């Protein structure tokens, strides 16, 4: 019998599969990553040609790389792209040359404060080439001539992104966005993709109220491209969440939308607080991941960002130490659970109108009290009904009721369902 695996273990296995691939803002590494995700979810893949104007940006040339290395005079590869995709400066132009170490140093990137780690560096919009390596590797290199080769191409092609849609009862949408442009970084990139993938699978097992649109796109330029191509229908997006850094062992952190009081902001705060998980809530800033694109003032969407330790908040960030040992199945499972809890609240949060607002309606003769018999939370449920009736004035939501009453949202939502079935409230 095959061993039983947990969702956390399955997400970790997905991260393991994607980890070796060399991703960037364009290229075959993005396509290969989406091919893997496509084994878990049906995806609609979009290819946007080089030169396409997207808002204030232009889709760049496509970058692909086959091999890269620095070899000493004996032919030994002292830095090898085959060992890690982090070893090459992202978007490096091709080079084939021999040069002394002193000349080569101007193209080398290290982390002197963390001498055993390889940094992640890119140069998307300025043509140059370079290698990233551990400081201790550089320190061990003797003077002499080195063969330098980067077998890459920069040519007209496409920017690739993908979408998966979970149909809902209404056309109003919740977007869930994850970036797919980083190479071998397990937390900053891959954990977010894995959690988004399993969140989509979980939602597909239900009949959600909202339509959920999952966007897998390169950071910044990918989100900008998606916004440019969906500007005419952007009013459908009612809520959204950017997932990143979703697998480390730190506490959960939610970053509010630009609005600060969007419904997703309130829902995430409520769920995190009610769960009693260690967590933090940060105010919006126009720096970070793609929430800053969705929250740009022209769109101003209600999109927040969920992570564990935030970007740049851990020393492993954008280094080779953000590896498979840095993320855990348990942490990804916890992030997934919070997302599911939050969307369960979001999906049921309605405003109701009391159809019997003059005085308290008689619940007993409608069998509402009798239906509680024997329940350990009968008193709590009774109070929830009274609170829902009192605040169902078309101006308060069920989340308002839960927050004001101090009652669990699930209890409030169940009470609202019973009152609705008894024709005492309507949405």
């Amino acid at each position: 019998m095959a061993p039983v695996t947990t969702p956390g273990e399955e997400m970790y296995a997905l991260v393991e599969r994607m980890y070796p691939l060399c991703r960037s803002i364009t290229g075959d590494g993005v396509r290969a990553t989406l091919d893997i995700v496509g084994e878990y979810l049906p995806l609609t893949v979009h290819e946007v040609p080089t030169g396409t104007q997207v808002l204030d940006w232009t889709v760049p040339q496509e970058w692909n790389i086959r091999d890269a290395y620095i070899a000493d005079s004996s032919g030994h590869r002292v830095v090898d792209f085959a060992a890690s995709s982090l070893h090459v400066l992202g978007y490096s132009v091709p080079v084939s040359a021999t040069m002394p170490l002193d000349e080569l140093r101007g193209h080398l990137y290290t982390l002197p404060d963390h001498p055993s780690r390889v940094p992640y560096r890119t140069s998307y919009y300025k043509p140059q080439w370079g290698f990233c390596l551990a400081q201790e590797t550089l320190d061990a290199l003797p003077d002499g001539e080195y063969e330098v080769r980067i077998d890459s191409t920069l040519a007209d092609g496409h920017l690739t992104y993908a979408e998966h849609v979970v149909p809902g009862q209404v056309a109003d949408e919740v977007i869930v966005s994850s970036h797919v442009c980083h190479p071998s970084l397990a937390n900053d990139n891959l954990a977010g993709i894995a959690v988004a993938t399993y969140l989509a699978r979980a939602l597909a097992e239900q009949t959600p109220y909202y339509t959920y649109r999952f966007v897998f796109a390169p950071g910044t330029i990918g989100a900008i491209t998606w916004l440019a191509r969906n500007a005419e229908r952007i009013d459908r997006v009612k809520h959204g969440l950017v997932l990143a850094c979703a697998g480390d062992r730190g506490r959960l952190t939610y970053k509010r939308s630009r609005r600060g009081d969007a419904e997703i902001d309130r829902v995430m705060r409520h769920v995190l607080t009610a769960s009693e998980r260690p967590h933090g809530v940060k105010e919006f800033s126009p720096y970070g991941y793609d929430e800053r694109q969705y929250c740009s003032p022209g769109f101003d969407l209600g999109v927040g960002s969920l992570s564990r330790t935030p970007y740049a908040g851990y020393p492993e960030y954008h280094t080779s130490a953000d590896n498979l040992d840095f993320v855990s199945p348990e942490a990804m499972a916890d992030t997934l659970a919070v997302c599911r809890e939050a969307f369960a609240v979001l999906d049921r949060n309605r405003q109701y109108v009391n159809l019997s607002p003059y005085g308290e309606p008689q619940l007993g003769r409608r069998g509402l009290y009798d239906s509680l018999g024997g329940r350990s939370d009968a008193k709590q449920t009774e109070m929830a009904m009274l609170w829902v009736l009192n605040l169902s004035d078309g101006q308060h939501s069920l989340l308002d009721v839960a927050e004001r009453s101090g009652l669990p949202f699930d209890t409030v939502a169940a009470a609202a369902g019973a009152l609705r079935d008894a024709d005492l409230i309507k949405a």
Side-chain angles (χ1 to χ4, degrees), residues 102-427:
D102 283 348
E103 181 181 348
L104 178 58
R105 285 181 185 273
H107 297 275
L108 302 181
Y109 301 87
T110 65
L111 294 167
D113 292 341
H114 297 283
S116 65
R117 298 177 184 174
V118 177
Y120 165 54
R121 298 287 185 269
T122 63
S123 183
Y124 296 139
Y125 302 105
K126 180 182 178 182
Q128 57 181 317
W129 62 270
F131 287 86
C132 300
L133 66 160
Q135 181 67 45
E136 60 188 21
T137 301
L138 177 58
D139 292 343
L141 294 181
D143 289 334
E145 297 288 310
Y146 288 86
E147 180 190 0
V148 179
R149 179 162 173 77
I150 298 178
D151 183 10
S152 65
T153 56
L154 268 169
D156 287 353
H158 297 83
L159 179 147
T160 309
Y161 72 91
E163 296 176 286
H164 171 77
V165 176
V166 180
Q169 300 170 40
V170 297
D172 290 347
E173 292 185 0
V174 180
I175 58 170
V176 179
S177 181
S178 298
H179 60 287
V180 296
C181 52
H182 288 14
S184 297
L185 300 174
N187 192 44
D188 180 17
N189 195 47
L190 299 180
I193 296 171
V195 171
T197 298
Y198 274 77
L199 177 59
R201 287 162 64 101
L203 288 168
E205 295 174 356
Q206 309 164 16
T207 306
Y209 177 74
Y210 289 110
T211 292
Y212 287 83
R213 183 176 299 273
F214 289 78
V215 180
F216 300 93
T220 305
I221 185 65
I224 285 171
T225 299
W226 186 87
L227 286 164
R229 289 165 61 91
N230 289 274
E232 297 303 316
R233 53 181 301 281
I234 209 70
D235 59 337
R236 291 188 187 180
V237 177
K238 304 304 180 184
H239 319 282
L241 191 65
V242 170
L243 283 173
C245 300
D248 69 88
R249 294 168 177 83
R251 68 177 188 172
L252 285 156
T253 302
Y254 178 71
K255 178 182 174 182
R256 297 179 193 269
S257 71
R258 177 180 181 269
R259 299 178 190 175
D261 62 349
E263 190 171 344
I264 188 67
D265 300 328
R266 296 184 58 214
V267 166
M268 290 302 306
R269 182 189 65 197
H270 176 81
V271 166
L272 288 168
T273 301
S275 73
E276 299 185 346
R277 289 177 173 91
H279 70 276
V281 176
K282 295 177 58 177
E283 296 302 320
F284 175 80
S285 73
Y287 183 76
Y289 290 110
D290 286 327
E291 69 278 356
R292 69 188 197 271
Q293 310 307 332
Y294 300 115
C295 293
S296 56
F299 294 107
D300 195 22
L301 298 175
V303 176
S305 177
L306 182 66
S307 63
R308 301 196 73 84
T309 307
Y311 54 85
Y314 51 97
E316 297 84 358
Y317 178 76
H318 278 193
T319 79
S320 56
D322 184 354
N323 55 32
L324 293 171
D325 293 332
F326 186 63
V327 298
S328 74
E330 294 78 16
M332 284 186 278
D334 188 49
T335 307
L336 174 62
V338 167
C339 291
R340 295 188 65 176
E341 290 166 24
F343 287 166
V345 172
L346 191 67
D347 234 36
R348 293 176 291 166
N349 191 32
R350 304 279 184 281
Q351 291 181 345
Y352 288 94
V353 174
N354 188 337
L355 300 178
S356 182
Y358 299 102
E360 180 182 306
Q362 190 175 10
L363 301 181
R365 71 177 175 85
R366 292 177 170 86
L368 292 174
Y369 282 159
D370 294 342
S371 68
L372 308 179
R375 288 181 51 166
S376 60
D377 63 344
K379 186 63 178 178
Q380 193 178 62
T381 303
E382 177 185 334
M383 286 303 301
M385 288 185 182
L386 297 177
W387 272 107
V388 171
L389 285 167
N390 191 267
L391 291 180
S392 289
D393 53 7
Q395 299 179 33
H396 292 86
S397 68
L398 296 185
L399 183 57
D400 291 323
V401 176
E403 290 181 340
R404 187 163 175 180
S405 67
L407 295 167
F409 183 88
D410 284 350
T411 302
V412 170
L419 293 169
R420 185 187 60 240
D421 291 345
D423 293 323
L424 285 172
I425 61 172
K426 70 173 183 179

Side-chain angles (χ1 to χ4, degrees), residues 8-21 23 36 40 184-187 190-191 194 323-325 327 329 332:
E9 291 168 335
E10 292 174 9
M11 286 186 285
Y12 186 88
L14 175 55
V15 169
E16 279 187 304
R17 287 188 64 192
M18 297 185 290
Y19 184 76
L21 298 174
R23 280 165 292 274
I36 292 174
Y40 295 75
S184 297
L185 300 174
N187 192 44
L190 299 180
N323 55 32
L324 293 171
D325 293 332
V327 298
M332 284 186 278

